[in-house]
Amino acid sequence: MVNFTYIIQAWFALLVSFFLPLQLFSQNVKKHVIGNVKDQSGNGLTGVNIQLVDKGQLRNTWWTASDSVGNFEFTELQPGRYLLNASLIGFTTVSETILIQDSTSEKLTYKIVLKEAASELRAVTVTSRKEAIEIDKGKLIYNVGNSAMSSGSSALDLLRKLPGVSIGQDDQIMLKGAGGINVMIDGKMTYLSEQQLVQLLRSMSGESIAKIELISAPGAEFDAAGNAGIINFVTKKNVFVGYSLDILSGISKGRFWMNNQNVAASYRNSKVNVSGSFDYNTPHRFMKSQTSNTVLDQGQRITLDRRLQTPTKINFYTYKANIDWQLSPKHQITAGYNGYLDDYVKDNAISRVSRLDPQNKLISVVESTNYLTEPYHYDAANLGYQFLIDSAGKKLTADAHYISYRNLSDGLLTTRYLDAKGQAAAPDEQLQVHQPGTVSIKSIKVDLDLPFTGFHVKAGLKYADVRNQANYRFDSLAAGEFIEAESMSNRFRYTEQIAAAYASVSGKLDKTQWEAGLRFESTNARGYTVEEEIENSWKYGQLFPSLSAEHEINKNNKVNFSVSRRINRPAYSTLNPVRWYYDQYFYYSGNPYLRPEMAWIYSAGYTLKDRYVLSASYSTRSNYLSRRLVIEENTGAIISQSANLGSMRRFDLTASVPLHLLDFWDLQLTAGASHTSYPIPLLGAEKTTALWAASAMLSQQFKLPAGFHAELSATWTSRELWGIYQKQSIFFTDFGLKRSFMKGKLDVRFAFSDFLRTNRYRGRSLTDYTDYRYDDLPDTRRASLSVKYHFGGKLQPSRSRRIEEQDRL
């Protein structure tokens, strides 16, 4: 075990090594340049890019951006000749030469006026268009903000259309064949379990998403958790001088009527920026399923043919608020809160299991009705501080987070036993379930950003403390009274502490940008199942190196490469051995014996003319975490749970080709291929299974008369491996139409998703101890209409501040 005290001492030694020379140098420098940027009407301009270039040493370049009232400052300048550039989209760039002599006063003041370039801006608006897919320093960027099909879509719907992303049975998310995905929203971790992450993404309106970033091999500044990489949802933002107000109202119709109502507001002045939003969404859903498997019953092979109908009603309330307070040009405080309430009800899910003999003749029927209500409460508060050390961009940031997550889960499973004629064959049974749980997360991190001439240094520390408690009680009905089933009831406790330190260096050599980093993480975790006295504990320290490089061959050709070591710690919910019943023959359960999964991830990419993208990745994983099926000895019921499946290897290749066919017709083709292999447990031993898979998405955009824009897409994936399953191919089509009115303030969108109703999830088990198959038909055929209206003043660009917080819940 590495003593974390030494890591802290080493980190502060690193700070001293950089700041001491800085302080010695500053004793001989007394020249400062301060200034203000305004438009022609005298209004201070925010976010103007200010560049200062030393004409004697062209490699010496400083940069900053004007604050909320247009002020900027450069300090610690040596005498010499400098070039000052000021630029902002929509304005003509201003350049001035500055001469600093020994006799020059300590502070030089400059006032800059930028003239609007309206004609240039209009030209950019007409001809400029972001490519649907971009690649930047090893991450794939999908620009979905202007999609006409976002109406009625959720963030989860957008995610399932991306190459390499798979959505499986019960909406498990996998990226390039593996779970352990870290999901961020605007650079902040969501801190949710897989199940609750799905709920959150389902509640987020697709119209609020600007782009989705897939980061296959993250650098040292990111937490090492997440072997499948990081998915970052970047939401649309309106930052205005004065006030801004957006109102969105939408309705959708599938199996149920659904609606989405959203209000987002912000106010900004010279010192304070306040923003907040409230969202009410009803992402109801309905699933029809058919599953089957055979069991041995008194020496006879019996087929269980299961038909399920699962209606789910959800009232989702999401709310957030944020304040940025600019104490001075160098000091900023940020405070934020976001939360949600998920009023989740599984309303009378019905399972009908027909027991058939070897001649396929009906023996008996078991009917189960499952009523489940699960309200979830999520509250997250954060406090941040940023100190801008100097005008060269050196800064120190500190962030503290507190997360509280609570859920109550109460259900009633009623089982009826019928003979072949439909008559009662045995008394009804009832099982009552009560499963409250809480999770609290406290974390604090400090990051240092030090840009120097020719290279860039980043370093940081982080500490996180997690507490998880889950109680579950099952009561069975006997003689008209519910009595606790002690063998099924239990209490689960989990604690985890992670301490981390990292450092990275980046720079540019000729036409090659590079970054190398090293992260150390020390983990101390303990899981304890009280009644069964099952205890698992982990204490380990691991190093996680990373390296990336991007080379510009020429103006039209760029290549990049990255590699990083990652870890996927088991999610808290998958360690908890509680049961979630479909019926008496099938249930989900946690696995307290899980071990962390380790991985090396390699990624490479090629870009032609900033439009054509080719990317490849290869990963190796030990203790691969995925799904398995287990047969319960006494009852023959199938248990689905997470498990370590051994060593996994995966290769992915993705190509994106945009085509401009006609003035009104654009096309985007994205295709991919992959090869996956890992061992699967059998009755006697295990075997390695391997499979090639492919995917393709064709999206077409049309410019129609009267300002209408239409989009038509088709998505297809071949059969692929999914843990213990082999999934069958998937195909679905979507259509969207949009138009803006009132100079862009009113936006109307219509979408018809899965209009051919071909989307379904099918698969079969690859093991020889069960022949389980499933065929799910989700309620994805929906028609949606949304209207969004914007109130506000003049749009101003702003600098975004990302907070990278990563854990799992």
Side-chain angles (χ1 to χ4, degrees):
M1 171 66 65
V2 178
N3 191 328
F4 193 69
T5 303
Y6 296 139
I7 301 297
I8 296 176
Q9 293 173 348
W11 189 83
F12 278 107
L14 177 68
L15 299 189
V16 171
S17 67
F18 280 109
F19 276 111
L20 186 58
L22 190 66
Q23 292 296 322
L24 294 175
F25 175 72
S26 64
Q27 294 175 2
N28 298 322
V29 176
K30 300 180 181 180
K31 311 302 181 182
H32 302 264
V33 172
I34 59 176
N36 180 267
V37 189
K38 296 182 178 180
D39 62 16
Q40 291 174 291
S41 301
N43 301 313
L45 291 175
T46 305
V48 178
N49 294 313
I50 311 294
Q51 182 188 46
L52 191 66
V53 181
D54 187 342
K55 286 191 171 184
Q57 298 288 334
L58 294 179
R59 294 186 62 183
N60 292 341
T61 302
W62 299 264
W63 60 268
T64 187
S66 60
D67 63 16
S68 57
V69 292
N71 293 328
F72 66 89
E73 180 180 9
F74 293 102
T75 61
E76 303 172 355
L77 298 175
Q78 294 278 23
R81 188 179 297 273
Y82 296 84
L83 181 65
L84 180 68
N85 299 314
S87 62
L88 181 65
I89 294 177
F91 293 84
T92 302
T93 299
V94 170
S95 298
E96 293 188 21
T97 298
I98 298 174
L99 179 62
I100 300 178
Q101 299 177 340
D102 291 333
S103 59
T104 303
S105 60
E106 183 177 344
K107 289 188 178 181
L108 290 81
T109 302
Y110 284 84
K111 293 184 179 180
I112 300 174
V113 177
L114 295 186
K115 298 180 180 180
E116 292 189 17
S119 59
E120 295 178 15
L121 184 59
R122 282 195 297 269
V124 171
T125 302
V126 172
T127 61
S128 177
R129 176 180 174 271
K130 280 191 175 182
E131 298 298 336
I133 300 179
E134 300 174 304
I135 189 168
D136 180 32
K137 297 179 182 178
K139 66 182 177 184
L140 283 172
I141 302 171
Y142 297 86
N143 297 303
V144 299
N146 291 322
S147 174
M149 297 182 296
S150 61
S151 175
S153 296
S154 66
L156 185 64
D157 294 327
L158 296 178
L159 192 61
R160 73 173 75 241
K161 299 176 184 179
L162 302 187
V165 177
S166 299
I167 309 294
Q169 195 180 30
D170 296 310
D171 289 331
Q172 305 103 347
I173 304 174
M174 295 183 78
L175 174 60
K176 297 182 178 179
I181 297 172
N182 274 341
V183 172
M184 299 189 296
I185 298 176
D186 292 326
K188 300 180 183 180
M189 280 305 301
T190 53
Y191 294 101
L192 294 175
S193 66
E194 183 178 67
Q195 179 186 3
Q196 292 314 304
L197 174 62
V198 167
Q199 289 296 94
L200 178 62
L201 296 181
R202 184 178 283 115
S203 76
M204 290 178 59
S205 170
E207 293 181 77
S208 67
I209 308 298
K211 61 183 178 180
I212 303 174
E213 300 175 342
L214 303 186
I215 309 172
S216 297
E221 65 186 284
F222 297 97
D223 276 14
N227 285 351
I230 294 175
I231 299 178
N232 184 33
F233 288 88
V234 181
T235 61
K236 298 176 181 177
K237 297 179 180 65
N238 289 321
V239 183
F240 290 83
V241 173
Y243 78 95
S244 167
L245 178 65
D246 287 306
I247 299 176
L248 171 69
S249 180
I251 58 171
S252 301
K253 178 65 172 72
R255 175 81 178 200
F256 305 110
W257 280 100
M258 294 160 283
N259 77 89
N260 179 208
Q261 313 299 326
N262 177 274
V263 177
S266 65
Y267 175 76
R268 182 189 186 97
N269 61 25
S270 60
K271 293 291 184 181
V272 178
N273 182 24
V274 182
S275 62
S277 67
F278 176 81
D279 186 275
Y280 171 66
N281 196 5
T282 59
H284 307 323
R285 65 183 189 272
F286 183 83
M287 179 81 79
K288 291 181 66 176
S289 303
Q290 180 178 353
T291 68
S292 66
N293 64 282
T294 59
V295 296
L296 281 176
D297 187 355
Q298 298 179 355
Q300 186 181 27
R301 179 69 63 178
I302 301 297
T303 298
L304 302 179
D305 183 70
R306 181 183 294 101
R307 309 296 173 96
L308 300 110
Q309 292 189 18
T310 311
T312 305
K313 298 291 186 70
I314 304 172
N315 292 298
F316 216 112
Y317 307 86
T318 306
Y319 27 82
K320 59 183 177 180
N322 190 80
I323 180 170
D324 299 323
W325 184 15
Q326 195 73 40
L327 299 174
S328 70
K330 290 181 176 292
H331 302 274
Q332 184 187 62
I333 292 179
T334 299
Y337 165 79
N338 68 87
Y340 76 81
L341 167 63
D342 174 9
D343 188 5
Y344 175 100
V345 178
K346 185 179 289 185
D347 191 6
N348 292 327
I350 298 173
S351 169
R352 180 183 174 90
V353 181
S354 299
R355 302 177 75 248
L356 307 174
D357 65 14
Q359 288 73 42
N360 213 33
K361 182 179 178 180
L362 181 64
I363 301 174
S364 62
V365 174
V366 179
E367 282 189 351
S368 301
T369 303
N370 193 356
Y371 177 83
L372 182 66
T373 175
E374 290 186 320
Y376 293 90
H377 301 263
Y378 173 78
D379 298 282
N382 68 277
L383 181 65
Y385 167 73
Q386 178 177 282
F387 170 50
L388 187 62
I389 299 171
D390 61 22
S391 59
K394 298 181 180 67
K395 61 182 178 181
L396 178 72
T397 60
D399 295 280
H401 287 254
Y402 175 74
I403 310 296
S404 172
Y405 172 75
R406 311 174 305 283
N407 78 283
L408 295 174
S409 178
D410 293 290
L412 180 64
L413 178 66
T414 303
T415 304
R416 300 179 62 206
Y417 300 93
L418 307 175
D419 60 22
K421 297 180 180 181
Q423 303 297 318
D428 294 354
E429 293 182 353
Q430 287 191 321
L431 187 65
Q432 192 170 263
V433 185
H434 180 59
Q435 304 178 56
T438 62
V439 178
S440 65
I441 301 175
K442 302 173 184 177
S443 73
I444 185 169
K445 61 178 299 192
V446 179
D447 295 283
L448 187 62
D449 200 345
L450 301 173
F452 294 99
T453 301
F455 65 99
H456 194 140
V457 176
K458 292 182 180 180
L461 294 172
K462 179 185 174 181
Y463 180 79
D465 180 86
V466 179
R467 308 283 168 169
N468 179 21
Q469 298 187 59
N471 301 326
Y472 46 99
R473 172 170 173 159
F474 291 82
D475 298 305
S476 58
L477 186 65
E481 183 180 354
F482 282 101
I483 301 175
E484 182 179 3
E486 295 184 359
S487 63
M488 300 171 63
S489 303
N490 216 321
R491 290 172 291 162
F492 178 71
R493 304 289 182 264
Y494 183 84
T495 60
E496 180 181 84
Q497 296 83 38
I498 299 177
Y502 80 89
S504 67
V505 181
S506 61
K508 187 174 183 180
L509 295 174
D510 195 15
K511 294 185 177 182
T512 301
Q513 296 184 20
W514 57 271
E515 180 176 349
L518 183 64
R519 187 179 186 91
F520 172 80
E521 291 192 355
S522 174
T523 303
N524 183 1
R526 177 179 181 264
Y528 184 59
T529 305
V530 178
E531 304 299 332
E532 299 176 6
E533 297 185 351
I534 299 175
E535 179 177 357
N536 267 349
S537 60
W538 305 268
K539 290 184 179 180
Y540 53 87
Q542 295 279 355
L543 289 173
F544 299 93
S546 61
L547 175 67
S548 66
E550 182 174 272
H551 178 68
E552 183 179 338
I553 301 173
N554 53 44
K555 181 179 179 181
N556 294 325
N557 296 272
K558 289 191 300 184
V559 293
N560 66 76
F561 171 80
S562 60
V563 57
S564 66
R565 188 172 188 242
R566 311 288 295 166
I567 185 172
N568 181 22
R569 300 179 181 90
Y572 315 133
S573 59
T574 61
L575 292 166
N576 183 359
V578 68
R579 303 178 181 184
W580 291 270
Y581 275 92
Y582 265 28
D583 51 58
Q584 71 177 64
Y585 295 110
F586 189 96
Y587 65 87
Y588 291 90
S589 174
N591 182 359
Y593 300 102
L594 295 174
R595 302 185 303 277
E597 172 190 302
M598 304 298 298
W600 281 96
I601 302 176
Y602 307 85
S603 177
Y606 168 70
T607 305
L608 174 64
K609 296 182 179 180
D610 292 326
R611 301 184 68 225
Y612 307 96
V613 174
L614 179 66
S615 66
S617 66
Y618 177 74
S619 61
T620 62
R621 294 174 170 86
S622 59
N623 295 327
Y624 173 49
L625 277 168
S626 191
R627 292 272 182 174
R628 74 173 180 185
L629 298 177
V630 180
I631 306 299
E632 193 173 48
E633 291 184 5
N634 298 330
T635 65
I638 293 179
I639 309 170
S640 177
Q641 62 181 190
S642 295
N644 295 106
L645 297 186
S647 178
M648 184 262 209
R649 289 174 172 79
R650 168 92 175 198
F651 169 75
D652 282 88
L653 185 67
T654 303
S656 174
V657 179
L659 296 174
H660 181 68
L661 301 179
L662 297 171
D663 290 341
F664 64 90
W665 188 9
D666 288 304
L667 183 147
Q668 180 82 37
L669 174 63
T670 304
S674 66
H675 184 266
T676 308
S677 66
Y678 52 84
I680 289 180
L682 301 176
L683 285 173
E686 64 180 23
K687 71 172 183 179
T688 298
T689 184
L691 187 67
W692 279 96
S695 65
M697 187 183 77
L698 179 64
S699 178
Q700 302 178 77
Q701 296 85 34
F702 303 92
K703 293 181 182 179
L704 304 179
F708 284 93
H709 294 261
E711 188 170 347
L712 178 66
S713 74
T715 303
W716 170 81
T717 59
S718 70
R719 60 177 186 164
E720 61 181 340
L721 294 178
W722 182 281
I724 208 73
Y725 300 112
Q726 179 179 288
K727 292 172 51 182
Q728 299 303 307
S729 61
I730 297 174
F731 173 76
F732 58 89
T733 52
D734 299 323
F735 172 76
L737 185 69
K738 70 173 183 177
R739 194 190 190 292
S740 295
F741 301 89
M742 302 173 63
K743 297 182 179 180
K745 288 186 173 292
L746 179 65
D747 189 49
V748 180
R749 303 190 186 199
F750 169 80
F752 196 0
S753 62
D754 189 22
F755 59 84
L756 297 179
R757 204 180 186 188
T758 56
N759 186 28
R760 62 193 312 142
Y761 308 135
R762 295 171 295 177
R764 62 180 179 88
S765 170
L766 296 174
T767 64
D768 58 359
Y769 53 79
T770 178
D771 53 359
Y772 181 79
R773 297 173 179 268
Y774 66 88
D775 185 350
D776 297 341
L777 180 62
D779 177 31
T780 53
R781 186 184 188 186
R782 298 178 179 179
S784 309
L785 177 68
S786 67
V787 179
K788 182 178 181 180
Y789 189 79
H790 168 75
F791 303 85
K794 185 176 181 180
L795 181 64
Q796 296 289 333
S798 69
R799 291 167 289 172
S800 61
R801 178 180 173 198
R802 290 165 57 98
I803 299 176
E804 307 294 353
E805 284 294 330
Q806 303 182 44
D807 272 313
R808 70 211 184 285
L809 184 68

